[in-house]
Amino acid sequence: MGRVPASEIELNKLKQQQNLKPMNDNLDHLFKPAAIALIGASAKELSIGNVIIKNLLNYNFKGPVYPVNPKVDEIRGLKAYASVLDIPGAVDLAHIVIPPSFVPEAVEECGKKGIKAIIINTAGFKEMGPEGQALEDDFLARAKKYGIRIVGPNCQGIINSDPAINAYCNFTFTYPLPGNISIVAQSGGVGAVLMQAFCDMGVGQRIYASNGNGSDVSITEIISYYGKDEGTRVIVLYAESLDNPLEFIEVVREVTARKPVLAITAGRTDKGAEASRSHIGGLAGSVSMDLIFRKAGILTFTSQEELCHAAVALSSQPVPKGNRVGIITNTGGPSVIAIDELVSCGLVIPPLSAKAAETLKDSMLESASVRNPLDIVATAGPAHFKSALEVMMNEDQFDSIYLNFVTPPFVDCENVAREIAAAAQKTSKPIVCNYMTDKEKWAGTSKILREGGIPCFDFAETAARALFSLVRYNKILSSEKGTVRTFNDVSRGNVARILDNAKHLNREVLTAMEVYSILEAYNIPVAPWKVASDVKEVVYDATQIGYPVVVKVDSEVIIHKSDVGGVAVNLKNAEETRAAVEKMKAGLGGGMKFLVQKFLKPGRELIIGAKASEGTGHIIMFGLGGIFVEVLKDVAFAISPVSDTEAAGMISSIKASALIDGFRGEQGINREKTAEVIQRVSMLCADFPVIRELDLNPLFAAGDQIRAVDARIIL
């Protein structure tokens, strides 16, 4: 078998499946406009056409703003123009806030004016049905003719807080301070919440974009642009769907190698999956967005609040080299809470070295607890904090520093804050702080910490999880991408013939003979098997395979065979086999075939599955099989093609990972061979996208042996 880099295989897939063209991600006219026109500007205070003008003026946009409205002479003190064609100067960016039917002609005029970017705030296009789609197609064709990039329609727009630009091309209400966190949100509502959350924390932002319907400028392009923007240090993303997931993965992976992308999605639950005919179909639900994010190297979250806290930490702190934490505290209880949270996240709290302990005994107050956590007590002043930070940061066994800082009224807290800020400038190790104070009374202390770039959080566990996010990002940066194995010992021709025949007969559910023949064609190990038509053939085949055997009805319509008496196991001789088959025929009727298999000792029951997912190929699943998959749902997912590293990670990531290695004398599984089966299933589905769902459940694994004993394929 050969080995091909995963990224190369995926790029080839991109080219073959979607015939991609290079992205035009030069969006400077959009994000750095020198002059802006507003088509549909209004003198009415409570209108979008008025609010956008107000925001541009209040945010101190550095260039000219041109209201376009043929019915008025001026808006908010600015001369109004009947048409963009009447504007005397050049215009980079235009807002369109007019009824949908007039938008195509407005785009045409923008093209004639030489405008290169348009934000269409107006709604009422493809989201409204065929008539709206026709209007959208019309304005897109005109925009393409003139080389115009479109954001929207049905969107908020963009914000650029760069003091040299100050472009508030948006109708929202939050005026962000300059910073280095950039946001792109598919939902303007979620985007506004995130933007306000950062403002409430006193954290600046760089660029904001909400692209609505995304008819032209995509989320992928915006992230690519942020990735090249020197002022952006962290990218925050909210997305519910992607038009081109494979392109997104390929492009965003390059960005995440340079700077962190943090994402949250919605719609992770899927009640419709309950009716699926396979386990993978029922369990995969709507996990594909999370898997896309993971494949692209994105740090994912299920909480908006935690995402914002992580972004604050990543925007100001270096990335730790590992998961070892040194703790400094001037109060006891919060450090205990912090330790619980840190350890539960998989971080470790190593002891101080003997040398560090000796140094600290000389510099700390007598009542201090010199260990890790280092409790310097509430009466500790600037000199004690300085010594503690210097010693802890020089300890090789610490990758990061967690600080609990309460502000006692009997301590010079401002100078303590200065020592903390100064220490942060001298190290490549990150610091996060659980800052406990009355922020109004200690405003000076708070300002020093904020200007010193120290990420501060109100609760011990919040700060702990922010630090955990830094560690998670380091894991993404340092993880091996792996390679996708190409197996040369497969028979694609045999599989193609089977699938073509099923397609010709309009069948979705494959027979047992078809399923097991396909698995054998790809060297996916199965229990020895045969398919028989009557009792005599069953007994003959069982004798050939060797007792004991298992007999199952082979029916397209019976999904859970054991529930209806369609399975007989551990049949030890011909008499037992004959009786079992006769009983099945009596209970289930005639005209069906029977699958005869070698009865294997169970070992550890596993499941490997695959489900076609629109835009991404197949989702591959691994976990505990048999009844456990229905009860525990302890499974892991990855997007095909699955690399060797990803396959190994799937096995390690399930909760029962330790259990499958053997427990109390039980024989564990061979992880390498199990990972190979995962990759063979991945390759089979990549080679034959017509496979909609595939279940190997269970596979019996013990020692070096792993074999599928039940399988299903749905086209």
Side-chain angles (χ1 to χ4, degrees):
M1 68 188 71
R3 297 173 75 84
V4 180
S7 58
E8 183 180 325
I9 282 189
E10 290 172 348
L11 184 58
N12 289 337
K13 280 185 168 293
L14 284 171
K15 293 175 180 176
Q16 293 167 7
Q17 295 178 11
Q18 299 182 10
N19 190 27
L20 293 182
K21 298 176 182 178
M23 268 200 312
N24 175 14
D25 59 358
N26 181 10
L27 301 176
D28 284 348
H29 292 288
L30 171 66
F31 290 112
K32 299 177 181 179
I36 298 171
L38 178 56
I39 302 170
S42 173
K44 296 178 182 178
E45 283 282 331
L46 299 179
S47 66
I48 290 177
N50 189 277
V51 169
I52 293 172
I53 297 285
K54 180 176 71 173
N55 282 342
L56 285 165
L57 297 177
N58 289 352
Y59 205 58
N60 194 27
F61 175 59
K62 299 307 181 186
V65 178
Y66 300 109
V68 177
N69 185 328
K71 297 180 181 180
V72 297
D73 294 327
E74 62 89 24
I75 296 173
R76 290 195 170 271
L78 300 175
K79 176 178 169 55
Y81 296 87
S83 163
V84 292
L85 298 174
D86 297 331
I87 295 172
V91 177
D92 294 294
L93 171 65
H95 274 273
I96 293 181
V97 192
I98 55 178
S101 60
F102 298 105
V103 169
E105 185 57 38
V107 171
E108 181 78 26
E109 289 191 352
C110 287
K112 292 176 180 177
K113 177 64 180 173
I115 295 170
K116 293 302 180 185
I118 297 175
I119 296 170
I120 302 178
N121 301 107
T122 303
F125 294 93
K126 69 179 179 183
E127 75 274 13
M128 300 303 292
E131 201 171 313
Q133 180 70 67
L135 285 171
E136 189 165 314
D137 292 343
D138 188 357
F139 76 65
L140 284 173
R142 296 174 192 242
K144 185 176 181 180
K145 179 173 64 173
Y146 291 104
I148 300 172
R149 301 309 309 272
I150 302 282
V151 172
N154 189 22
C155 73
Q156 291 174 345
I158 69 99
I159 301 169
N160 188 339
S161 71
D162 185 339
I165 300 168
N166 283 348
Y168 202 109
C169 308
N170 199 303
F171 55 75
T172 51
F173 47 84
T174 301
Y175 290 1
L177 297 168
N180 55 28
I181 299 172
S182 289
I183 302 171
V184 54
Q186 196 169 40
S187 161
V190 174
V193 167
L194 296 173
M195 187 162 51
Q196 185 62 48
F198 289 124
C199 285
D200 291 344
M201 297 168 71
V203 175
Q205 296 154 70
R206 173 69 172 173
I207 307 176
Y208 172 87
S210 178
N211 72 335
N213 289 7
S215 65
D216 177 27
V217 175
S218 67
I219 284 175
T220 303
E221 286 185 276
I222 294 170
I223 293 177
S224 178
Y225 185 86
Y226 290 172
K228 296 170 184 175
D229 174 54
E230 293 183 1
T232 296
R233 182 165 176 173
V234 175
I235 300 168
V236 170
L237 164 67
Y238 173 78
E240 297 167 6
S241 62
L242 295 164
D243 289 336
N244 196 328
L246 292 176
E247 178 187 59
F248 176 89
I249 291 168
E250 193 69 26
V251 171
V252 176
R253 179 180 284 166
E254 294 181 6
V255 176
T256 56
R258 302 190 305 273
K259 59 183 70 174
V261 178
L262 285 58
I264 189 168
T265 187
R268 290 185 301 273
T269 57
D270 184 2
K271 290 188 68 65
E274 294 172 0
S276 176
R277 291 180 291 180
S278 69
H279 291 97
I280 174 71
L283 291 169
S286 296
V287 301
S288 58
M289 282 298 291
D290 282 330
L291 296 178
I292 291 166
F293 291 162
R294 189 196 312 164
K295 194 92 168 177
I298 291 174
L299 204 57
T300 61
F301 297 84
T302 57
S303 159
Q304 296 174 81
E305 183 178 33
E306 189 174 339
L307 178 148
C308 289
H309 293 154
V312 171
L314 282 159
S315 70
S316 62
Q317 297 302 298
V319 179
K321 295 179 180 178
N323 66 343
R324 303 167 303 171
V325 185
I327 300 174
I328 301 171
T329 183
N330 64 349
T331 178
S335 69
V336 178
I337 294 173
I339 290 171
D340 285 344
E341 190 69 28
L342 291 166
V343 172
S344 71
C345 290
L347 281 67
V348 296
I349 319 296
L352 284 171
S353 68
K355 180 181 178 181
E358 284 300 315
T359 302
L360 288 168
K361 282 177 183 177
D362 293 336
S363 61
M364 293 295 108
L365 294 169
E366 188 175 343
S367 54
S369 174
V370 180
R371 47 181 298 188
N372 188 25
L374 173 60
D375 188 346
I376 61 178
V377 303
T379 51
H384 304 108
F385 273 89
K386 179 181 180 180
S387 176
L389 286 161
E390 286 180 349
V391 172
M392 296 284 268
M393 286 180 168
N394 286 323
E395 282 279 81
D396 290 337
Q397 66 264 41
F398 300 146
D399 301 304
S400 58
I401 303 297
Y402 178 97
L403 183 63
N404 280 314
F405 176 31
V406 67
T407 55
F410 41 80
V411 169
D412 181 358
C413 291
E414 289 194 6
N415 274 321
V416 167
R418 289 188 180 95
E419 293 295 350
I420 295 170
Q425 301 303 314
K426 299 176 184 176
T427 182
S428 60
K429 296 179 182 179
I431 300 175
V432 297
C433 181
N434 172 210
Y435 179 49
M436 297 158 280
T437 191
D438 181 328
K439 294 182 179 64
E440 288 186 8
K441 291 182 180 179
W442 271 264
T445 303
S446 302
K447 181 181 179 184
I448 293 166
L449 291 172
R450 184 172 60 251
E451 292 179 350
I454 306 299
C456 294
F457 305 97
D458 294 336
F459 296 101
E461 56 269 52
T462 305
R465 293 200 66 82
L467 179 55
F468 174 50
S469 296
L470 292 171
V471 174
R472 286 174 62 202
Y473 182 57
N474 172 65
K475 190 173 182 181
I476 288 174
L477 288 179
S478 57
S479 63
E480 293 184 14
K481 303 306 180 206
T483 55
V484 174
R485 298 174 68 177
T486 302
F487 300 94
N488 298 321
D489 57 350
V490 302
S491 177
R492 291 180 177 84
N494 288 350
V495 176
R497 282 189 290 273
I498 293 170
L499 297 180
D500 287 346
N501 181 63
K503 185 178 179 181
H504 177 71
L505 296 174
N506 249 352
R507 288 193 295 107
E508 287 187 355
V509 181
L510 299 189
T511 65
M513 176 172 285
E514 290 168 331
V515 171
Y516 286 94
S517 296
I518 287 172
L519 298 180
E520 287 187 337
Y522 268 67
N523 266 315
I524 296 168
V526 297
W529 64 280
K530 290 181 179 294
V531 173
S533 300
D534 55 33
V535 176
K536 183 177 179 181
E537 279 188 34
V538 170
V539 173
Y540 176 80
D541 288 342
T543 304
Q544 294 296 110
I545 291 172
Y547 291 103
V549 296
V550 175
V551 177
K552 306 173 187 176
V553 294
D554 182 13
S555 170
E556 297 178 37
V557 296
I558 301 175
I559 302 300
H560 299 292
K561 302 176 181 65
S562 57
D563 293 348
V564 295
V567 178
V569 301
N570 199 16
L571 302 173
K572 299 181 178 63
N573 52 52
E575 290 72 21
E576 290 185 9
T577 303
R578 185 177 293 105
V581 175
E582 294 287 4
K583 185 178 179 180
M584 288 182 198
K585 290 179 67 178
L588 300 174
M592 63 183 64
K593 295 184 178 182
F594 301 90
L595 174 68
V596 187
Q597 291 176 295
K598 180 70 177 177
F599 176 74
L600 303 177
K601 292 182 179 180
R604 183 60 59 201
E605 293 188 28
L606 306 175
I607 182 171
I608 296 173
K611 178 186 177 184
S613 180
E614 187 176 354
T616 59
H618 283 79
I619 293 173
I620 309 299
M621 180 179 78
F622 168 81
L624 289 183
I627 62 170
F628 295 108
V629 69
E630 298 175 16
V631 177
L632 301 179
K633 297 179 173 61
D634 186 12
V635 294
F637 299 95
I639 291 176
S640 180
V642 178
S643 71
D644 49 6
T645 302
E646 288 175 311
M650 293 172 72
I651 298 169
S652 298
S653 67
I654 66 170
K655 296 173 185 176
S657 178
L659 184 64
I660 63 177
D661 285 332
F663 184 72
R664 291 191 174 181
E666 288 186 359
Q667 192 174 22
I669 71 168
N670 184 316
R671 287 186 175 231
E672 188 174 340
K673 287 193 173 182
T674 304
E676 180 179 317
V677 176
I678 292 172
Q679 291 170 91
R680 284 182 179 273
V681 168
S682 172
M683 180 176 165
L684 169 63
C685 292
D687 287 347
F688 297 97
V690 69
I691 295 174
R692 190 172 82 215
E693 296 177 14
L694 178 152
D695 267 3
L696 307 181
N697 181 44
L699 298 103
F700 289 166
D704 288 339
Q705 294 296 316
I706 178 170
R707 291 183 179 181
V709 297
D710 200 4
R712 181 179 299 118
I713 293 177
I714 301 170
L715 306 184

